[in-house]
Amino acid sequence: MAGILYLMAFVLQKESQKADEYLREIKEQSLLSEAVRQCVEAAGHEHEPETQKTLLRRHFTYRRNDNTHWFTPSLSQLLSLNFPPEQFVSMCRDLRVLNAVRDYTVGIPLTHTQFKQMTVQVLIDRLVYRKLYPLAIEVCRYLKTPEYQGVSRVLKHWACYKVQQKEESDEVIAKAVSVKLADAAGISYSEIATKAYESGRTELAIKLLEFEPRSGEQVPLLLKMKKSPLALSKAIESGDTDLVYTVVMYLKNELNRGDFFMMLRNQPVALSLYKQFCKHQEQDTLKDLFNQDDDHEELGNFYVKASYKDQRLEARVALLQSAVDEYYKAKNDFSAKTTEDEMRLLRFQRKLEEEKGEQLVGFSLHDTMTTLLSVGLHKHAEQLYKDFRVPDKRFWWLKLKALAEKEDWEELEKFGKTKKSPIGYLPFVEVCIKHHNKYEAKKYVSKVTPEQKVKAHLAVGDMEGAAEAAIERRNESEISTVLSRCSATTDHLLMERLNRAKATAVKK
Amino acid sequence: MASHLFCGRVNLNILREAARKDLREFLDKCSGSKAIVWDEYLTGPFGLIAQYSLLKEHEVEKMFTLKGGRIPSAAVKNIVFFVRPRLELMDIIAENVASEDKLHPRDFHILFVPRRSLLCEQRLKEKGVLNSFTNIDEYILDLIPYDGDLLSMESESSFRECYLESDQTSLYHAAKGLMTLQALYGTIPQIFGKGECARHVANMMLRMKREFAGSHTQILPVFDTLLLLDRNVDLLTPLATQLTYEGLIDEIFSITNGYVKLPPEKFAQKKQGEGGKDLPTEPKKLQLNSAEELYAEIRDKNFNAVGAALSKKAKVISAAFEERHNAKTVGEIKQFVSQLPHMQAARSSLANHTSIAELIKDITTSEDFFDSLTVEQEFMTGVDTDKVSTYIEDCVAQKDPLIKILRLVCMQSVCNNGLKQKVLDFYKREILQTYGYKHILTLKNLEKVGLLKPQSTMRNNYPTIRKTLKLWMEDTNEQNPNDISYVYSGYAPLSVRLTQVLARPGWRSIEEVLKMLPGPHFEERQQVPTGLHKKRNKPVILVKSA
C-alpha cells in the first residue's frame, strides 16, 4: 500500500492528476492509515534526505491540492484515521539527528534501527567520546533531553576534558568552565575538580570547587588534597554539623595535638562542636582546651562539675579549691566566694556528721539548717545563720516552718518573742493553721499588723474579729472579703453590720 | 485518623502522608518479621506520624526500648534500631549487636532519625559492628505536623544547643525541613527573619536551593511568606505564665508530643453502688488536638472565658439529648439514634474538659497563683524591675519550686534589660543557699544564654520596645478578645507583635525597635517558576521560631 502512496506522492510532486486515482484506490481499501505508517517508517530507513522528504511530504501534498476539490484528507482527517501524528513528528526529529551524525565531518553512519537500539543516551556518549561537545549539546537541546541527563552531562564531560588541557592557565580554564556551566542545572563541580586534581592541577581543582554549591561535595576532595583548613571551613559553611565533625575527627588523627588545637581555635563553630564531643567523650581533652584558651571561668566550672562526681569529701574540697583559684583568675569574685562558702559548709557538715551522726553532707545551707532545727540542734543552726550571713527574713521563715513541722509549739512561741519578727506575724498564723493548730495560731493574731489583721482573723476562722478589724479600718474591699466569707444563716447580724459599714465606707 | 490536620488553611496531611510513605518503604526494605528497638526519645514524635497499627501492618511484631546488654529474645527475622545520631547511642547498639546470640543470628538495620551521620557510622566501625548491618538508612523527620495549623520539630533541647552549647545541628535540620516543606507545598517567595539563628537558617535554605537547582518544583506556592525568628528575640513570652486553657494545661500538667497525663482521681468512671473504691492509679492520658470539636473551640480561649463556653456547650448537649422527647415519628427517632454516637462523644469530651477545668481552677483561684501573676504583670509593665522583689524573696524563703523562682528572676532581668549587679548577686546568693550550691552552674548557664544578665551601661530599652510594639494592653477583653494580649491577660507576645507588624504595615515602620532586639533582621526573595505566581487575597504566613 505504502508503495502506491509513495507513487502517488511522487506523482503529485510532479503535479499529475494521476495521484487522485492512486489515493482513491487506497481509500477504497481503507488502508490509508497503514499506508501512511509504512511511509513514515520507510522514511526512517532511508539514508538519502531527499527521499526521506518525499516519503514524509504527503501532508503537504494534500494541502496543496485543497483547492482542487479532489479527495483530499486533511491532517485532522488523518488523525481520525487513527494515525498518530507523534510518530511522524518524532521520526522527523530522529532523522534530523541521524542526518547530522551521518555527515562526513562526524561520520557515524547509523541506521534508524541501530539508533533506536542504542538509545539517545549512548549516541550522546559517543559524541562526547569524539569530543564533539557542541553537536552533543545541540542534539540534547533538539531532542529535549532532561537537563540532568543531557546538556549538563555533556558540559561536565567537556569541563573534565578542558581541565586537562595543559597549555592553558588555571585562571583561564576556571573562568571558561564557570562561564559555560553557569546556567546548567545540577553540575557536579567536585567531579570536575577531581579530574583536575587527578591530572595534577590542585590549584585549579580548588578554584573549581569554589563553584560547587554543595559544600558537602567539596569536603571529601579537599581532604584528599590535604587542604584541611579549607575543608573545615567548607564543612562549616554547609551547616551540616555531622560533616564538620567528620572533618574534625579526620584532623584529630592527622595533625599533632598542638596544630589541631590551633586550627580549631580559628574556627569557633568547629571548636564548640568539638567541645561538645569532648564533654561526652573526653573530659580531659576538654580541660586541655580550656587551658589552652586560658578560659579560667570554664576551668572553674569544669572543676565544680568534677567535684560532684567524686564521693570522697577531701577530693571534693580539693577540686572546689581548684575552682576557687580559677574563678579568682577569671576575676569572678562572686563565684569564688560562693565556692569558698560551699567548701566551708561541706567541712561543717562533715564535722557535725561525725559528732552527731546526722546525715548532712551535700545538703544546701537551707536544708542543713532545717535539719539541724528539726533535731533540736538550735545552736548549730544559729551558728550557720550568722557565719553565712543568711538574711533575717529567710532565717525566720525557715525556723518558723521547721518548728511547726516538728510541732514544737513551745519553742516556736519562744522564738516569736525573741525580737520583732522581720516577716511579721501573719506567717506564724498561717503556718500554724497549715499544721491544724488553731489554738497556737490565735496566739499570734493580735501581733499582726493592722493591714493584715483581717486576713489573720479570717485564717483562724474568727468572723467577728475579722469584721471588727475591717470595719475599724473602713476598708471597702476588706469588708467585701469578709462578707463573701460570711454564711447567710449563721452570720446574719454580722452581715448587716458589715453592709452598713460598707455603705459608709463607699460614701467616704 | 488525622482529621486534625485538615482543619487549617493548609492541608498538612500531605506532609504526614509523605512521612508515612517513607516509613512504610523503609520497613518493607527489611523484609520479614521484625522488632523495633527504640531510642526512647523518638517514640513521642513518631506517635504524631504513625500509630502501632501501621507498624504492625509491616510485620513489626515486637518493640523494645534501647538499652545496654542483650536485646530481649523475640522470634523475628530483623532487628531494626530507630535512633537519633548520637555517639552514646551507638555504643549501646554496638553492645547489643556484640551480645547477640550467635546460634540464632538476626538481621540488623539502623534507621537514623532525622539524618544519617558519618560520625556515628565511624563509631560503629571502630566498635567492629558496622558490617553487621544490612540496611543503614535515614528517616527524615524534621517538621512534624502537629495540628492543623502547627508544625513542630519536637526538639525540646534546641534552644540549649544553639545558645548554650553553640551546636547548630537543629538549625540544619530546620533548614532541611523547610526544604522538604517547599518540595511539597511550593517555593515560599518571601523570607523574613530576625536573629542570628534565623539568618543562619535562611542562608542554609538559599544555599540548598542552589544545590537543588534544576530540580525545582512545579507546585503552586501555598505559603506566601516565611518568618524566621530567633528564640532570643523574644525571651519574655516563654517566661510568662500562660493563661489560655491549653496554656494552663501545659503549665500545670505539661503537654508532651500532643498528650497530657492527668491525675486519675477526677476521671474515675463512676459506677453506681461501687462508691469510691477501685480508683485508677495510672494517670489518665489524653490526646489533645483540634480533631476534638470542643477542645478546638476552647483551647485558645483565656481560661476566664472557658467556664462560660463549657456551660454553654453543656446546655447545647443536654438540649440535643432532650430532642428525643420530641421525636415522634419513626423517621425522627431514627434520625435521633443516628446522631447518638456523635452526641455521646461530645458528652464525654465535655465531661473530660469540665474535670480538667476544675483541676485548673483549683490552682488559678489560689492566692499563690494570683500573687505570682501580679508580680509577673508588674515586671511586664515595668514596675520596680530594678529592685529586689520582696515577693521573690519570700518565695525563696519558703523554698517554693526553683523553676518558679528562676522564671520570675529571669523575667525581671529581661524586663529590665539586665539586673543591677547588687540585685543579681543577692538573688544568686539566695538561690545557692536555699537550693544548693550546685545551681551555680544553672545560674551560669542562664547568664550564658542571656536569660539572666547584669545591667550594662546601656539604657534599659524594654520600655521603648513595650510601648512601640504595644506589648501591654490595659483594657484586654478576655471573653471576646479583639487583640492577642488576651492570651496573657494583658501582655501581647513580642513574637506575635513582630508577625503582626510584618503583615501590616511592614517592618520598616519599626526599624528602631528591631535594632534594639538582638541579631540582624533581613528579607530574602526566592524566585518562583513563572506561571506559578498565585492570586490569592489572604496571605499565608509560616512562622518558625528557632
Side-chain angles (χ1 to χ4, degrees):
Chain A
M1 282 314 117
I4 299 171
L5 190 65
Y6 174 71
L7 201 60
M8 171 201 88
F10 190 73
V11 173
L12 258 181
Q13 234 176 359
K14 302 248 165 358
E15 314 253 331
S16 161
Q17 299 199 350
K18 197 114 200 207
D20 188 41
E21 277 170 40
Y22 291 127
L23 194 57
R24 201 160 290 162
E25 192 179 332
I26 299 172
K27 176 69 187 166
E28 273 160 16
Q29 295 175 43
S30 331
L31 287 167
L32 184 63
S33 78
E34 176 60 13
V36 171
R37 198 188 61 76
Q38 285 180 13
C39 260
V40 172
E41 215 179 281
H45 294 298
E46 196 52 60
H47 276 232
E48 180 54 47
E50 276 312 310
T51 324
Q52 293 166 358
K53 279 186 197 157
T54 315
L55 280 166
L56 292 170
R57 200 170 277 154
R58 309 160 335 270
H59 297 292
F60 307 110
T61 57
Y62 301 143
R63 281 274 155 76
R64 261 190 14 209
N65 292 330
D66 262 356
N67 49 4
T68 61
H69 303 291
W70 290 345
F71 174 65
T72 51
S74 66
L75 188 59
S76 62
Q77 278 170 311
L78 278 175
L79 281 175
S80 70
L81 289 169
N82 289 333
F83 181 76
E86 294 86 20
Q87 196 199 350
F88 173 73
V89 173
S90 82
M91 182 57 81
C92 286
R93 279 217 195 98
D94 287 358
L95 280 177
R96 200 154 168 208
V97 171
L98 281 174
N99 290 339
V101 301
R102 282 168 189 160
D103 189 275
Y104 76 99
T105 53
V106 181
I108 307 180
L110 280 179
T111 67
H112 188 253
T113 322
Q114 283 172 326
F115 173 61
K116 281 288 152 196
Q117 202 72 39
M118 72 188 239
T119 71
V120 184
Q121 292 296 319
V122 177
L123 178 66
I124 293 168
D125 282 346
R126 291 206 182 168
L127 293 173
V128 165
Y129 284 133
R130 287 169 195 229
K131 307 199 171 46
L132 294 165
Y133 304 110
L135 180 60
I137 288 174
E138 283 308 316
V139 169
C140 292
R141 290 212 176 112
Y142 185 66
L143 292 180
K144 298 204 168 72
T145 320
E147 219 174 343
Y148 264 102
Q149 299 147 20
V151 177
S152 294
R153 199 163 58 100
V154 178
L155 282 172
K156 191 196 78 192
H157 282 290
W158 167 78
C160 286
Y161 169 67
K162 184 85 181 164
V163 297
Q164 296 173 57
Q165 288 177 343
K166 299 242 181 325
E167 63 277 8
E168 289 189 63
S169 75
D170 291 346
E171 282 76 25
V172 173
I173 295 181
K175 185 99 197 288
V177 169
S178 75
V179 169
K180 270 263 175 3
L181 275 54
D183 300 329
I187 290 279
S188 165
Y189 282 91
S190 59
E191 245 177 272
I192 304 166
T194 309
K195 255 293 182 295
Y197 172 65
E198 281 166 3
S199 38
R201 304 187 71 163
T202 311
E203 284 311 307
L204 176 58
I206 295 171
K207 280 203 169 60
L208 289 168
L209 275 183
E210 284 295 317
F211 301 120
E212 173 64 67
R214 288 165 295 183
S215 313
E217 299 283 308
Q218 302 170 328
V219 174
L221 180 62
L222 286 169
L223 283 182
K224 213 158 101 190
M225 297 193 296
K226 307 262 179 242
K227 297 286 166 193
S228 24
L230 198 54
L232 187 56
S233 47
K234 287 293 168 191
I236 291 168
E237 210 174 273
S238 76
D240 183 350
T241 43
D242 187 52
L243 203 58
V244 180
Y245 269 129
T246 309
V247 179
V248 169
M249 290 302 136
Y250 173 88
L251 293 173
K252 191 179 164 218
N253 294 329
E254 283 291 297
L255 304 175
N256 68 47
R257 208 176 163 86
D259 292 347
F260 175 56
F261 279 9
M262 272 318 278
M263 185 174 284
L264 288 182
R265 218 173 164 173
N266 299 324
Q267 293 287 5
V269 174
L271 180 60
S272 47
L273 283 177
Y274 183 61
K275 278 182 185 161
Q276 273 322 106
F277 170 83
C278 292
K279 212 162 113 190
H280 297 293
Q281 308 280 335
E282 294 174 16
Q283 284 281 331
D284 288 336
T285 315
L286 190 61
K287 200 170 116 189
D288 294 345
L289 280 168
F290 293 146
N291 260 320
Q292 180 198 257
D293 293 346
D294 289 328
D295 192 340
H296 298 295
E297 175 76 20
E298 282 299 341
L299 275 169
N301 298 345
F302 179 84
Y303 288 123
V304 169
K305 232 177 270 171
S307 81
Y308 281 95
K309 287 186 195 125
D310 216 307
Q311 294 296 315
R312 296 160 305 142
L313 190 85
E314 293 317 313
R316 284 177 73 169
V317 173
L319 282 164
L320 288 177
Q321 183 57 53
S322 307
V324 170
D325 297 343
E326 295 298 338
Y327 286 142
Y328 274 125
K329 279 185 209 157
K331 298 200 165 42
N332 188 339
D333 282 5
F334 178 84
S335 294
K337 290 239 161 61
T338 44
T339 309
E340 281 171 339
D341 280 353
E342 174 69 3
M343 288 162 63
R344 211 144 47 96
L345 182 63
L346 280 171
R347 292 206 187 94
F348 179 90
Q349 289 170 334
R350 158 58 67 84
K351 194 168 143 252
L352 266 184
E353 261 191 26
E354 280 164 2
E355 283 172 13
K356 311 281 175 190
E358 270 310 312
Q359 208 207 323
L360 291 168
V361 171
F363 282 16
S364 73
L365 180 63
H366 179 104
D367 292 348
T368 310
M369 290 191 290
T370 308
T371 312
L372 291 176
L373 289 171
S374 71
V375 295
L377 294 169
H378 296 273
K379 280 254 166 56
H380 294 91
E382 294 279 342
Q383 192 196 331
L384 285 176
Y385 154 59
K386 281 181 193 126
D387 285 359
F388 287 89
R389 290 180 293 120
V390 175
D392 278 359
K393 272 185 172 179
R394 216 172 79 230
F395 186 69
W396 275 69
W397 262 111
L398 183 153
K399 191 161 179 178
L400 164 65
K401 284 176 87 170
L403 293 175
E405 189 66 42
K406 207 180 147 199
E407 309 205 335
D408 191 346
W409 307 116
E410 203 179 317
E411 188 66 33
L412 182 63
E413 200 171 347
K414 258 203 293 189
F415 173 56
K417 283 175 183 160
T418 45
K419 65 173 191 177
K420 191 171 171 289
S421 161
I423 54 173
Y425 289 90
L426 185 61
F428 279 73
V429 177
E430 286 175 341
V431 168
C432 289
I433 290 296
K434 212 173 139 205
H435 287 88
H436 313 290
N437 194 332
K438 205 185 259 188
Y439 174 77
E440 286 295 327
K442 282 185 175 159
K443 288 183 180 169
Y444 303 98
V445 173
S446 60
K447 292 181 150 187
V448 168
T449 57
E451 295 83 41
Q452 295 177 326
K453 272 261 156 64
V454 176
K455 240 181 175 178
H457 281 292
L458 285 176
V460 297
D462 175 8
M463 298 311 291
E464 293 265 356
E468 210 68 63
I471 291 166
E472 197 173 307
R473 281 169 48 73
R474 295 176 192 169
N475 182 311
E476 191 208 341
S477 84
E478 280 181 10
I479 296 171
S480 302
T481 313
V482 181
L483 265 172
S484 71
R485 296 276 294 274
C486 286
S487 127
T489 46
T490 52
D491 308 314
H492 187 67
L493 286 172
L494 208 56
M495 284 176 79
E496 267 180 23
R497 267 186 67 199
L498 281 164
N499 278 324
R500 273 200 304 275
K502 193 176 168 184
T504 49
V506 173
K507 244 182 255 163
K508 265 183 82 185
Chain B
M1 208 178 137
S3 55
H4 58 290
L5 299 180
F6 290 99
C7 56
R9 297 260 307 272
V10 175
N11 179 4
L12 293 180
N13 203 41
I14 298 174
L15 188 61
R16 185 171 183 266
E17 276 310 318
R20 286 164 72 90
K21 185 168 151 271
D22 288 348
L23 184 59
R24 284 194 210 103
E25 277 169 9
F26 173 76
L27 289 172
D28 290 342
K29 232 194 251 178
C30 321
S31 61
S33 58
K34 46 196 141 294
I36 295 179
V37 182
W38 285 98
D39 169 356
E40 215 170 7
Y41 181 88
L42 290 175
T43 50
F46 260 84
L48 294 165
I49 297 295
Q51 259 74 42
Y52 185 48
S53 54
L54 180 141
L55 301 177
K56 226 170 168 178
E57 279 164 29
H58 294 266
E59 298 179 85
V60 174
E61 288 172 4
K62 282 260 161 53
M63 307 229 268
F64 305 113
T65 305
L66 183 66
K67 56 171 183 267
R70 183 184 287 198
I71 300 167
S73 63
V76 289
K77 191 169 161 283
N78 302 286
I79 299 284
V80 191
F81 294 96
F82 278 35
V83 288
R84 285 167 298 161
R86 303 221 161 181
L87 288 178
E88 60 273 19
L89 299 179
M90 296 307 112
D91 295 348
I92 300 177
I93 292 179
E95 198 183 323
N96 282 172
V97 173
S99 49
E100 173 79 354
D101 187 353
K102 299 287 179 295
L103 293 173
H104 307 283
R106 294 173 285 193
D107 290 348
F108 289 105
H109 314 268
I110 296 188
L111 188 63
F112 282 116
V113 186
R115 211 141 269 123
R116 275 180 85 145
S117 146
L118 289 166
L119 190 68
C120 288
E121 286 170 46
Q122 183 65 31
R123 172 57 68 98
L124 291 172
K125 200 169 161 190
E126 282 163 22
K127 297 254 168 188
V129 294
L130 188 66
N131 292 328
S132 315
F133 294 96
T134 319
N135 278 309
I136 296 183
D137 224 319
E138 61 183 12
Y139 184 68
I140 299 168
L141 190 66
D142 295 315
L143 290 172
I144 307 169
Y146 193 98
D147 212 315
D149 52 2
L150 182 63
L151 300 168
S152 165
M153 294 181 68
E154 294 299 273
S155 154
E156 54 185 22
S157 56
S158 50
F159 179 71
R160 182 194 171 91
E161 287 165 12
C162 288
Y163 293 96
L164 188 62
E165 297 165 349
S166 317
D167 173 356
Q168 303 191 320
T169 308
S170 61
L171 299 182
Y172 181 68
H173 295 328
K176 281 278 184 186
L178 288 165
M179 294 311 287
T180 311
L181 199 71
Q182 292 185 89
L184 292 168
Y185 296 92
T187 304
I188 304 173
Q190 294 186 96
I191 303 177
F192 289 90
K194 171 77 187 161
E196 295 289 347
C197 294
R199 182 67 262 186
H200 188 54
V201 169
N203 286 347
M204 281 191 283
M205 284 174 68
L206 296 173
R207 162 177 283 277
M208 289 169 189
K209 176 96 184 158
R210 258 181 291 145
E211 292 181 14
F212 295 124
S215 56
H216 35 221
T217 49
Q218 293 293 319
I219 301 172
L220 188 77
V222 173
F223 299 102
D224 303 271
T225 305
L226 167 68
L227 172 56
L228 297 161
L229 288 177
D230 273 34
R231 175 75 279 162
N232 79 344
V233 169
D234 177 13
L235 287 174
L236 180 52
T237 306
L239 291 171
T241 302
Q242 307 172 68
L243 294 176
T244 62
Y245 179 54
E246 181 166 30
L248 279 163
I249 296 179
D250 187 41
E251 292 281 344
I252 298 166
F253 306 106
S254 94
I255 302 174
T256 327
N257 304 130
Y259 285 88
V260 64
K261 282 184 185 163
L262 297 159
E265 306 85 51
K266 277 263 181 183
F267 299 89
Q269 288 289 328
K270 278 173 206 131
K271 280 185 196 148
Q272 283 183 338
E274 267 183 57
K277 278 186 238 164
D278 308 323
L279 279 175
T281 44
E282 280 280 296
K284 185 177 171 80
K285 205 173 169 192
L286 266 186
Q287 188 174 19
L288 296 174
N289 65 39
S290 305
E292 192 183 343
E293 195 184 311
L294 175 62
Y295 187 61
E297 197 183 315
I298 59 173
R299 63 192 299 178
D300 292 332
K301 279 195 192 303
N302 184 296
F303 186 67
N304 286 336
V306 167
L310 285 175
S311 66
K312 201 175 112 197
K313 191 78 180 178
K315 275 180 204 135
V316 171
I317 290 175
S318 56
F321 275 98
E322 285 308 308
E323 278 293 304
R324 72 179 184 276
H325 301 302
N326 302 336
K328 297 223 166 59
T329 68
V330 178
E332 280 167 359
I333 291 171
K334 203 174 156 194
Q335 205 204 340
F336 176 81
V337 170
S338 73
Q339 284 169 350
L340 259 182
H342 177 76
M343 285 160 59
Q344 273 158 349
R347 188 156 67 177
S348 97
S349 159
L350 178 71
N352 278 340
H353 288 292
T354 310
S355 303
I356 297 174
E358 277 167 12
L359 286 169
I360 293 175
K361 202 171 172 216
D362 288 346
I363 290 168
T364 53
T365 49
S366 72
E367 206 165 316
D368 245 9
F369 186 87
F370 179 79
D371 289 348
S372 159
L373 201 64
T374 311
V375 173
E376 277 185 22
Q377 301 196 337
E378 278 173 9
F379 287 160
M380 288 192 283
T381 45
V383 177
D384 288 342
T385 47
D386 53 348
K387 314 182 201 158
V388 169
S389 144
T390 33
Y391 178 73
I392 297 180
E393 214 183 337
D394 283 348
C395 289
V396 175
Q398 296 172 69
K399 211 181 171 194
D400 280 357
L402 177 62
I403 188 74
K404 172 181 172 184
I405 309 298
L406 293 178
R407 263 173 96 157
L408 284 171
V409 173
C410 290
M411 188 182 229
Q412 187 179 351
S413 170
V414 171
C415 292
N416 200 49
N417 195 17
L419 296 169
K420 276 188 195 147
Q421 195 66 51
K422 234 179 85 189
V423 175
L424 182 61
D425 285 353
F426 175 80
Y427 281 139
K428 277 160 61 173
R429 246 173 76 87
E430 290 282 287
I431 290 168
L432 294 184
Q433 289 196 349
T434 308
Y435 301 92
Y437 166 77
K438 60 176 179 287
H439 290 296
I440 190 167
L441 297 175
T442 311
L443 294 169
K444 279 170 190 277
N445 286 347
L446 290 173
E447 287 188 57
K448 261 187 224 163
V449 302
L451 277 164
L452 201 57
K453 63 179 179 186
Q455 209 168 37
S456 62
T457 42
M458 270 201 315
R459 213 165 58 89
N460 174 15
N461 51 26
Y462 174 74
T464 317
I465 298 172
R466 187 186 70 225
K467 276 170 213 147
T468 314
L469 292 180
K470 300 199 183 72
L471 297 187
W472 186 264
M473 302 294 276
E474 273 308 333
D475 41 4
T476 293
N477 186 341
E478 290 171 351
Q479 303 293 329
N480 298 301
N482 51 7
D483 183 82
I484 194 65
S485 54
Y486 83 93
V487 292
Y488 288 96
S489 296
Y491 167 68
L494 197 153
S495 28
V496 175
R497 282 292 194 243
L498 284 181
T499 315
Q500 285 180 321
V501 174
L502 179 68
R504 209 171 34 202
W507 275 1
R508 208 154 291 167
S509 60
I510 52 162
E511 283 284 336
E512 284 304 304
V513 162
L514 284 175
K515 274 183 204 144
M516 289 174 186
L517 298 168
H521 57 279
F522 59 89
E523 177 182 351
E524 297 286 350
R525 278 173 200 280
Q526 298 199 96
Q527 216 163 19
V528 175
T530 40
L532 292 182
H533 290 285
K534 65 181 229 174
K535 296 166 196 106
R536 200 195 283 184
N537 301 326
K538 272 195 187 169
V540 180
I541 302 182
L542 181 67
V543 182
K544 167 96 194 36
S545 323

